[in-house]
Amino acid sequence: MRSSSALWTAPVWVGIVVFYFFHALHLEDPYEEVIAGPLWASQQVAVSLGYFYAFAYAITIGLATWEGGRLRKDRVWDLAPSRARYRVAAHALAPAVVAGWAILLLPVVMRLIETRLIPTPVSLLPLLMGMGIVCAYAVVGCALGHIAPRVIAAPVAAVAAFYVISKTGAYSDPIWPRHVSGQLDTQIAFGENYAAPTVLVPFLFSAVVALAVAVWWIGGTRRWVWRMVAAATALVTMAVCANTASGWGIAAGPVTAGHAATRCVGAAPRVCMAETGGAVERLEEVRNEIVRTLQNLKAAGVDVTVPATVSDGLLYERNRPESTSSTWWLPLTAQAERADGDLTGVRYAVLLGSVTFPCAFPTSFVPGVSADWVVNHDAAILWAAYTVEAQDPYLAWRKGEYQRIANGAEVLAKVEERAAKGRSLPTTEERADWFEKEKAKACRLAPPPEQAQRQGTDS
């Protein structure tokens, strides 16, 4: 170990890891924003490793190539014929493997320390995958050192590995190199973990190559049989891995969701927010805002069905379940973590979940589909938005939508005029009656369901 290339090059690669950790990981997200949340161990582990996979593999294969060349130069195989080749190789390659592991471990440990997160076994899967692939690169590097001059082969192998692995993220056709390179292309969101195939496919792709290379060191009379079997196994496994990864999208390997811990309070509705989402300390305040909004809508005459549970949409950032009458999925953390403390967004989300129509409407404006329903539909919702002080975000959204139609300014004026008319009625009963009539008229003017469905598909 004392004479190992891994030891005398350690100041270089350790320095690069530490420098790049603080430079790259905090270049876009300052430390204060990182620790503010949302914090999810799997996500933080993946983020910290993304910058160092290629570097770890490059350093490993470079050091292993150098050590393999040293074994050949020192004629270790000839001087110790009684010792198993695998044992000798493992002893020589151990420092290179430790170096590769250290390059992966250092940023993960530093990231977990600064975010004060305790990793779960599943969150460490991308780290374990990388450590396994490091071992594969060490085996390949040792073989390279035996067949080429180490002074040339070691730096060339390191640079080539770094370049190839780094550039796989640019592949889109074919797409499988992105997913088998060992540098995970899939970004995970809060509450998600990598599914087993996402980390298993790149590991197997590299491992079978290393296995086929290692088998060439087998001696004995049947060594050619073993070599052919190993080569065939490697080719078949690599083909299977490539075929599997070809079915994944760009940055979209398999993940599983809904794993983040929650904290809940109250009943009817029971409100739940992500434990480490960054705003859970406002859970009681958020629930009170939800209850107050529902009560105000009811008092105004809106027929509201109170859900049993209101859950935080952060728990399923991607592929969020559809809200039902008993369970709503609302962006609670996203609204509660606002720097100004305003919970208008929570009221607005409750509004959109509460106001329903007995018919379907197109999701946007497109030529050829009637938009006569818009004024009555939007006036009804705007009226309800005023009752819960959520008119500003609703108007901001609709103004953006109105820009898609030629007379958008005129439509906006009519919507505001009709909503003002409803608000000016003297009694609660009259205002509620006006609201129901607006909804009914909007449904009468709505396009046929098949047109609305086709429009939604086309958009």
Side-chain angles (χ1 to χ4, degrees):
M1 180 70 177
R2 191 174 302 171
S3 62
S4 169
S5 57
L7 184 61
W8 48 262
T9 59
V12 176
W13 49 262
V14 171
I16 292 175
V17 169
V18 173
F19 170 79
Y20 208 72
F21 174 85
F22 288 106
H23 175 72
L25 287 182
H26 297 298
L27 187 62
E28 295 182 0
D29 300 318
Y31 173 75
E32 293 75 14
E33 293 184 13
V34 171
I35 63 174
L39 293 175
W40 176 241
S42 295
Q43 190 178 42
Q44 297 303 321
V45 169
V47 167
S48 59
L49 284 171
Y51 292 97
F52 297 101
Y53 280 125
F55 186 55
Y57 304 152
I59 291 295
T60 300
I61 196 170
L63 295 177
T65 301
W66 185 269
E67 295 302 323
R70 187 172 63 84
L71 290 177
R72 185 188 65 169
K73 179 184 176 182
D74 296 345
R75 302 178 61 190
V76 173
W77 308 125
D78 298 330
L79 296 176
S82 61
R83 295 181 63 187
R85 286 192 166 193
Y86 293 117
R87 184 173 299 178
V88 173
H91 183 269
L93 295 178
V97 171
V98 170
W101 286 0
I103 292 171
L104 297 176
L105 279 167
L106 277 173
V108 170
V109 171
M110 289 191 291
R111 189 68 163 188
L112 292 175
I113 289 175
E114 73 174 358
T115 55
R116 300 176 178 85
L117 288 171
I118 299 176
T120 62
V122 176
S123 70
L124 295 177
L125 283 178
L127 173 62
L128 297 177
M129 177 210 73
M131 294 173 72
I133 295 176
V134 161
C135 295
Y137 272 87
V139 173
V140 174
C142 185
L144 285 175
H146 276 75
I147 62 177
R150 62 176 178 169
V151 175
I152 299 175
V156 169
V159 172
F162 185 85
Y163 179 82
V164 171
I165 299 301
S166 299
K167 291 298 181 181
T168 54
Y171 280 81
S172 58
D173 186 20
I175 200 172
W176 60 264
R178 302 174 68 108
H179 298 293
V180 303
S181 67
Q183 178 166 277
L184 292 176
D185 179 59
T186 304
Q187 300 297 319
I188 57 176
F190 184 89
E192 293 182 342
N193 288 322
Y194 287 114
T198 307
V199 294
L200 194 58
V201 163
F203 169 72
L204 288 176
F205 192 89
S206 301
V208 292
V209 174
L211 178 63
V213 170
V215 167
W216 281 81
W217 284 336
I218 289 181
T221 56
R222 304 185 64 183
R223 61 181 181 274
W224 285 105
V225 175
W226 285 109
R227 290 173 180 177
M228 295 300 294
V229 170
T233 302
L235 290 174
V236 171
T237 304
M238 292 169 70
V240 171
C241 290
N243 182 67
T244 301
S246 296
W248 302 344
I250 294 176
V255 298
T256 58
H259 302 290
T262 60
R263 188 188 302 177
C264 302
V265 66
R270 179 172 178 256
V271 178
C272 300
M273 291 177 65
E275 185 76 42
T276 57
V280 72
E281 68 277 358
R282 301 190 70 187
L283 177 57
E284 288 279 0
E285 187 180 354
V286 168
R287 184 182 183 276
N288 291 338
E289 196 72 12
I290 292 173
V291 171
R292 186 171 71 86
T293 303
L294 291 171
Q295 291 172 345
N296 288 344
L297 288 170
K298 279 187 175 182
V302 178
D303 184 16
V304 176
T305 301
V306 178
T309 304
V310 179
S311 290
D312 195 350
L314 180 64
L315 299 170
Y316 287 87
E317 282 195 90
R318 296 185 291 193
N319 304 318
R320 186 179 301 170
E322 292 287 337
S323 292
T324 64
S325 59
S326 60
T327 302
W328 289 0
W329 292 91
L330 304 182
L332 302 182
T333 291
Q335 299 301 325
E337 68 178 358
R338 285 172 55 100
D340 58 9
D342 185 23
L343 292 178
T344 300
V346 173
R347 299 194 297 274
Y348 178 53
V350 173
L351 165 75
L352 296 182
S354 301
V355 177
T356 58
F357 289 78
C359 59
F361 297 97
T363 56
S364 61
F365 304 118
V366 293
V369 178
S370 171
D372 297 340
W373 52 273
V374 171
V375 172
N376 302 99
H377 172 277
D378 288 10
I381 299 182
L382 181 57
W383 172 86
Y386 271 105
T387 66
V388 295
E389 301 176 20
Q391 66 276 7
D392 290 342
Y394 181 71
L395 282 172
W397 171 51
R398 295 311 284 170
K399 285 177 182 177
E401 293 292 306
Y402 296 155
Q403 292 178 1
R404 301 185 181 186
I405 53 180
N407 60 336
E410 181 183 347
V411 171
L412 174 61
K414 288 184 178 180
V415 168
E416 292 182 318
E417 179 185 349
R418 292 193 69 84
K421 178 182 176 181
R423 294 170 58 214
S424 66
L425 295 174
T427 65
T428 301
E429 290 75 14
E430 288 178 289
R431 292 192 291 271
D433 182 62
W434 174 90
F435 175 68
E436 293 299 329
K437 287 180 178 178
E438 285 295 291
K439 290 184 5 179
K441 187 173 182 179
C443 284
R444 288 197 300 271
L445 296 174
E450 59 273 10
Q451 261 194 351
Q453 185 177 5
R454 186 176 67 251
Q455 181 273 338
T457 303
D458 294 341
S459 62

